[in-house]
Amino acid sequence: MCSIIGYYGDSAAAPILVKGLKRMEYRGYDSVGVATKSDNDIVVKKGVGKVEVVNNALHLDNLPGHVGIGHTRWATHGNVTDVNAHPHPSSSGKIAIVHNGIIENYEELKSDLEKRGYSFKSQTDSEVIANLLQYNYDQTHDVKQSMIKTVSKLKGHYAFVAMFESGILSAARFHEPLIIGIGKKGFFLSSDVLGFIEKTDDAIYLDNGELVILDRIGVQIFDFEGNAVKHQVTKVSKEFADAYKGDYAHFTIKEISEQPETIIQAGEKSSDAINTATEFIRHARSIYITGSGTSYNAALVAKYLWQKYAKIKVEPIISSELSFTPETIEPNSILIAISQSGESADVLEAVKIAKKANAKILSIVNILTSSLAQESAVVIGMGCGPEIGVAATKSFTAQLSIIYKIAKKLCDGCINMDGEKISSSVAKVLADHSKIKEIAKELKDVQDIYILGRAVHYPIATESALKLKELSYIHAEGIPGGELKHGPLALMDSSVYVVIINPNDFTYNDTLTSAREIKARGAKIIGISDKPSDIYDHWIQIPTIDDSLYPLIEIIPIQLLSYYSAIEKNTDPDYPRNLAKSVTVK
Ligand code: G6P
C-alpha cells in the first residue's frame, strides 16, 4: 500500500526521503514522488515506476532543501499515471500533501472547492486534501487551525503529511499508520519504522485522531479538537534494522530460509498471552477466527487442528466477508484475528463488527505496535522479525506454530511439539534446492496448476495455490482431494500439473487414489510426501515426522517452488505486480 514519509531537520531532505521510500518498497506501489521546500517554493517531482528507476530519470534525491515529503502510491482512485502520483500540490502550489488511505467524500468536497475557485489536476481522492487544507489555511492563516478544520471534513481512512510554504510540516492519522521518528538532526514522519530506522530508533506512535506539527519549536501533538497530547518515546526494536537482504538475492528466499528458527521462536515471548488465550478459548461459547490471504489459510488450519485434537469448534471467517454477514457473530463470543501486519483494513473492519457484538478480540500479529494489536484484549506476537517479501512465507509458519502451541495446551499436551525435530525437518527440506529448481524450469510455461490435499492438508493446498499465484503468476487452485471427481477432473489433461500433498498419514491412501485418477487423464503429478510412489512424475521428499505436524513441513517445498518459478519467469518475487504487503484499504 501507499507509503508516506516526511523529513524536517538540518540535513538535506531529498536523499533521506528517497532512501526511506526504498526501505518501504515492500509495502507495494506503482509510482513515486518527492516534494521539498526550496528557498521560495515547493518543488515537486514524481513519476510512474520503481523508486530507483524514477530517481535515475528525475533525480528526486537532488531536490534542494531541508524539509520535504515523499510517497509511493498504490493506485486506488485514478490510473497509474505521473499526474496521479503524489505529492499533490494545492492549486496555488503553496501546500503539498502525501496521503495513504481513502477519502470517501472526496467528490462532494471537490465540487465544493471547485465552486470556490480551487482547481484539480489528478483523478485521485487525495488531491482534495491539498485544496481543502489550502482553503482552510487561506481562511485562518494558521497551520493548526487549518489542519483541525480539514480533518473535521474528511470522511474515510487516512494518514497524510502536508508541507506548507513556510516550511512547516503537519500530519494527521485516522485508521492508517503514521509514526514519528525522533532523530538527533531532525524529525521523520513515516508509515513504517523502516522509513527512518537507519537514522533513529526513537519513535512516537500516533494514535487515531491525532495530528502533529513539526517546526522550529519541535514536535507538537494534538487531538483533532486541538488539545495537546503527550506521548512516550518508544525505542523501536533493533530487529527492524535487520531488514536487509544480506547475501540472499531476494527477501523472499531469505525469509523462506529463516523458518527453521522462526517456527520455533513463534509466540515464545508471548507465553502468558498464549495461556490467557487458551483459557478464553476453552471457556467460550462461540469462537470465530478471521484473516485475509495467507492469514486466512492459517485460520483454516486452526479449525482442523483444534477440532481434531481438542474437540473445540471454531468458525473461520474471511475478513472481507464479515461486513456482509455481521449477524454471524453471536453476542459475547471470541474473535481471533490473525494478521502479519496488523494493518489489513479488512481484518480491522471484521474486528470492529465483532466488537459491536461484544466479542472479545484475541490476535496473532507480527507487528506489536499495529492497529490490530491496539484493538485486542490479548495479543500473541508472532516474533518472526520483519517480513519484507510481499508473499507471506515465514509469517505463515509462525502463525501455524502459534496455532499448534495453543492446540497443544487445549488438548493437555497431546501434540508432540518437539522444537528441535521440527526445526531440523524444515532445515532438511531447505538443504537442497536442486530438484525444486528443475521442476520450476518445467513450470515456466504451464498455464494451470492444481494442488490437492485432504483434511488439514487442504488449507495447505489453498496456501500453496496463493503462493504460486502471487509469485509465479501461474493460475493455481487448491482442491480438497475428494472434490476432484465433482468437477476439477474435467480440467485434467496433459497440459496440467497437479501438486499432491500426500504425507504418510491417515489421508495418504485416499490422496494417492486421487493422484491415480489424475494421472490416468494425462496430467503431470508432483508428489510432496515422505513416501515415494511411481505415480509421481516428480517426488519432492519431506522428512517423516509426527502425523500432526506435517503442515509445518509440507508448505516449505511449495514456497521454494513458487519462488524459483518466479525466478524462471523473470518476475520480481519480492514485489509481485499489483499486490501490496499490507492492504490498508477495503
Ligand atoms: C495482502 C498480502 C498477502 C497477505 C494479506 C494479509 O493481501 O499481499 O500476502 O497474506 O495481505 O496480510 P496480513 O498482514 O493481514 O496478514
Side-chain angles (χ1 to χ4, degrees):
M1 284 285 96
C2 305
S3 297
I4 56 185
I5 183 124
Y7 176 75
Y8 183 101
D10 298 338
S11 308
I16 292 176
L17 299 171
V18 172
K19 227 172 184 186
L21 291 173
K22 268 198 80 61
R23 294 294 299 266
M24 294 192 282
E25 277 190 303
Y26 79 101
R27 292 165 57 88
Y29 69 103
D30 41 56
S31 51
V32 54
V34 166
T36 57
K37 162 80 177 62
S38 79
D39 290 345
N40 304 314
D41 288 315
I42 288 176
V43 272
V44 183
K45 283 186 180 178
K46 52 189 184 174
V48 170
K50 289 266 151 105
V51 176
E52 197 163 327
V53 175
V54 177
N55 190 38
N56 285 344
L58 302 179
H59 307 292
L60 305 174
D61 57 0
N62 263 346
L63 284 171
H66 298 265
V67 181
I69 55 179
H71 190 266
T72 46
R73 172 177 187 246
W74 188 83
T76 56
H77 293 61
N79 300 341
V80 179
T81 60
D82 293 354
V83 174
N84 286 338
H86 297 218
H88 290 289
S90 62
S91 50
S92 64
K94 293 182 177 178
I95 292 175
I97 64 99
V98 286
H99 163 231
N100 173 21
I102 286 181
I103 304 301
E104 285 162 6
N105 58 338
Y106 80 100
E107 279 166 324
E108 181 190 324
L109 292 170
K110 186 172 171 176
S111 75
D112 192 44
L113 286 159
E114 277 172 336
K115 281 182 204 136
R116 294 177 194 273
Y118 293 81
S119 63
F120 289 79
K121 292 196 181 82
S122 78
Q123 301 161 308
T124 65
D125 54 334
S126 310
E127 195 179 3
V128 82
I129 303 174
N131 274 332
L132 182 60
L133 193 57
Q134 186 69 63
Y135 167 72
N136 288 320
Y137 188 76
D138 292 343
Q139 303 291 309
T140 60
H141 302 287
D142 182 86
V143 169
K144 182 178 162 191
Q145 288 313 316
S146 62
M147 287 290 286
I148 291 171
K149 280 183 185 293
T150 300
V151 294
S152 76
K153 293 280 182 225
L154 297 177
K155 291 203 176 106
H157 288 193
Y158 55 82
F160 71 86
V161 185
M163 180 167 61
F164 291 75
E165 200 187 29
S166 57
I168 294 175
L169 286 191
S170 187
R173 176 185 180 197
F174 194 64
H175 294 289
E176 293 290 349
L178 189 61
I179 307 160
I180 308 170
I182 315 285
K184 290 207 170 64
K185 289 185 169 177
F187 305 115
F188 305 82
L189 290 159
S190 181
S191 306
D192 190 316
V193 289
L194 291 179
F196 55 75
I197 192 70
E198 274 182 19
K199 300 285 176 190
T200 179
D201 56 359
D202 285 333
I204 294 174
Y205 288 83
L206 284 182
D207 285 331
N208 279 325
E210 288 182 350
L211 55 92
V212 55
I213 296 176
L214 301 184
D215 60 13
R216 268 193 220 108
I217 301 170
V219 179
Q220 303 166 74
I221 304 171
F222 305 97
D223 63 22
F224 279 4
E225 270 80 51
N227 305 305
V229 177
K230 282 222 176 320
H231 268 281
Q232 296 273 9
V233 175
T234 309
K235 271 267 177 246
V236 172
S237 168
K238 284 279 187 211
E239 69 180 12
F240 283 102
D242 292 343
Y244 288 106
K245 276 186 280 199
D247 290 338
Y248 291 93
H250 297 101
F251 283 112
T252 305
I253 189 67
K254 174 178 182 262
E255 289 155 7
I256 291 173
S257 308
E258 285 168 4
Q259 292 175 106
E261 293 84 45
T262 51
I263 289 179
I264 306 307
Q265 281 161 17
E268 284 296 288
K269 290 189 181 151
S270 298
S271 48
D272 288 349
I274 291 182
N275 289 339
T276 316
T278 307
E279 283 315 300
F280 277 129
I281 294 168
R282 220 192 277 278
H283 297 111
R285 252 182 67 217
S286 316
I287 309 163
Y288 310 97
I289 186 159
T290 194
S292 301
T294 290
S295 299
Y296 175 69
N297 290 327
L300 287 175
V301 173
K303 172 193 152 77
Y304 279 94
L305 284 184
W306 296 353
Q307 189 161 307
K308 185 171 168 71
Y309 295 102
K311 311 281 172 282
I312 285 187
K313 281 205 186 313
V314 42
E315 188 176 338
I317 302 171
I318 296 174
S319 296
S320 57
E321 285 289 307
L322 193 60
S323 15
F324 305 99
T325 53
E327 61 285 349
T328 311
I329 307 288
E330 282 178 17
N332 305 318
S333 50
I334 283 183
L335 179 84
I336 304 165
I338 309 182
S339 174
Q340 186 284 129
S341 61
E343 298 296 347
S344 292
D346 290 329
V347 179
L348 295 174
E349 184 65 22
V351 164
K352 201 164 142 191
I353 290 165
K355 276 191 160 179
K356 269 194 196 143
N358 278 332
K360 195 172 280 300
I361 310 298
L362 318 184
S363 62
I364 301 176
V365 286
N366 199 27
I367 309 295
L368 293 174
T369 48
S370 62
S371 306
L372 177 58
Q374 284 164 24
E375 294 292 329
S376 308
V378 181
V379 181
I380 302 172
M382 287 155 52
C384 63
E387 187 179 66
I388 306 296
V390 166
T393 53
K394 64 174 176 174
S395 67
F396 178 64
T397 48
Q399 291 165 355
L400 293 196
S401 181
I402 289 167
I403 287 164
Y404 270 98
K405 284 174 183 171
I406 294 174
K408 184 180 171 183
K409 284 199 182 296
L410 287 172
C411 72
D412 299 321
C414 77
I415 297 176
N416 177 19
M417 282 285 284
D418 178 345
E420 283 308 307
K421 184 89 199 283
I422 297 168
S423 182
S424 68
S425 301
V426 173
K428 267 186 202 151
V429 181
L430 289 168
D432 182 7
H433 300 186
S434 55
K435 192 164 201 174
I436 290 174
K437 279 184 183 167
E438 285 308 312
I439 304 173
K441 280 188 186 135
E442 262 184 63
L443 293 188
K444 192 168 160 244
D445 303 312
V446 169
Q447 300 286 318
D448 304 292
I449 301 181
Y450 297 91
I451 303 100
L452 221 90
R454 279 185 158 79
V456 72
H457 311 299
Y458 168 57
I460 302 299
T462 57
E463 172 58 12
S464 304
L466 184 59
K467 284 298 89 62
L468 281 161
K469 276 182 247 185
E470 289 174 311
L471 291 174
S472 67
Y473 308 161
I474 301 172
H475 164 247
E477 221 178 294
I479 302 171
E483 286 300 288
L484 179 71
K485 52 192 176 301
H486 298 297
L489 208 48
L491 302 167
M492 298 302 151
D493 63 26
S494 58
S495 67
V496 166
Y497 274 70
V498 183
V499 178
I500 305 284
I501 302 183
N502 203 18
N504 191 13
D505 67 1
F506 65 105
T507 64
Y508 181 82
N509 287 329
D510 286 320
T511 303
L512 203 65
T513 302
S514 305
R516 275 200 190 94
E517 290 165 0
I518 294 165
K519 180 96 172 175
R521 272 80 188 176
K524 293 263 185 337
I525 311 273
I526 301 168
I528 297 184
S529 182
D530 41 342
K531 210 171 159 185
S533 164
D534 53 12
I535 293 169
Y536 306 143
D537 294 278
H538 298 288
W539 174 41
I540 302 179
Q541 188 177 3
I542 53 168
T544 299
I545 195 163
D546 200 280
D547 266 17
S548 56
L549 300 173
Y550 279 114
L552 284 166
I553 316 288
E554 64 205 20
I555 187 62
I556 312 286
I558 317 221
Q559 293 172 344
L560 287 172
L561 190 60
S562 307
Y563 171 76
Y564 285 112
S565 302
I567 301 296
E568 283 302 324
K569 294 188 80 172
N570 219 1
T571 64
D572 186 340
D574 286 345
Y575 311 118
R577 67 183 177 206
N578 305 337
L579 299 180
K581 181 73 184 155
S582 92
V583 181
T584 57
V585 293
K586 279 199 283 170

